Amino acid sequence: MLEMTDSAVLAWNTTTRTLIRQFTVPAPPVAINGGNDPQLVVAAIATSDGVASIFISSPTPSPSLYPTSSGNSYYKKVVIAGKRILLFDGRSADVFEITSALRWTGGIRTGGLLDVAASDTAFFTLSSGGLVTAYSYEGTPLAQTTVSEGSDS
């Protein structure tokens, strides 16, 4: 059995109820085709950015994370508000104070984070399910609301 999560596809053995493999996909999965026939060991995964395929019975183990002393982040978006800057890497955001050099002051770590924005008084995040949260310049949550104006909001 194949199961979709926000960033991966899990292959389960339904007889023993154990996880066989975890496949990380390049974008959030939307649909799966295949994986239910023992003769067809390839499954196609429709993602928000295209299509990925996985070889379910691959003899090579999936790559895994290993601990490292480097805390590199690869930011995709920069938002500036006053003397603060918010750097977003697609999953979380780091808040920095703009002085002679950037000084880290906090972070915004929530599940399902999709986008960030800023105003003169606060930072804002959009999470899955239409959840909008306002944060102080230090990264403290101030208020939340859910956007529910229809399927295209």
Side-chain angles (χ1 to χ4, degrees):
M1 177 177 79
L2 297 178
E3 173 188 3
M4 293 186 305
T5 68
D6 288 345
S7 61
V9 173
L10 308 175
W12 291 91
N13 181 329
T14 56
T15 306
T16 62
R17 296 183 179 183
T18 57
L19 180 65
I20 301 169
R21 300 280 307 271
Q22 178 174 339
F23 303 93
T24 303
V25 290
V30 178
I32 299 175
N33 183 23
N36 54 354
D37 182 0
Q39 302 301 322
L40 182 63
V41 294
V42 176
I45 313 299
T47 69
S48 59
D49 287 340
V51 178
S53 59
I54 57 174
F55 186 52
I56 298 166
S57 61
S58 171
T60 5
S62 297
S64 61
L65 295 175
Y66 61 94
T68 178
S69 59
S70 172
N72 291 341
S73 292
Y74 300 97
Y75 300 112
K76 298 177 180 181
K77 187 172 185 178
V78 177
V79 177
I80 298 175
K83 292 192 176 249
R84 301 287 179 165
I85 186 170
L86 188 70
L87 301 176
F88 179 57
D89 68 1
R91 293 180 294 173
S92 62
D94 288 318
V95 181
F96 291 87
E97 182 178 21
I98 301 171
T99 57
S100 58
L102 289 181
R103 185 177 66 86
W104 186 82
T105 60
I108 298 173
R109 313 273 187 264
T110 61
L113 195 59
L114 300 173
D115 202 3
V116 295
S119 73
D120 291 340
T121 58
F123 290 121
F124 299 90
T125 63
L126 173 64
S127 298
S128 59
L131 182 65
V132 177
T133 307
Y135 290 88
S136 70
Y137 283 156
E138 288 74 34
T140 306
L142 300 174
Q144 273 186 345
T145 189
T146 301
V147 177
S148 59
E149 298 295 323
S151 62
D152 64 340
S153 61

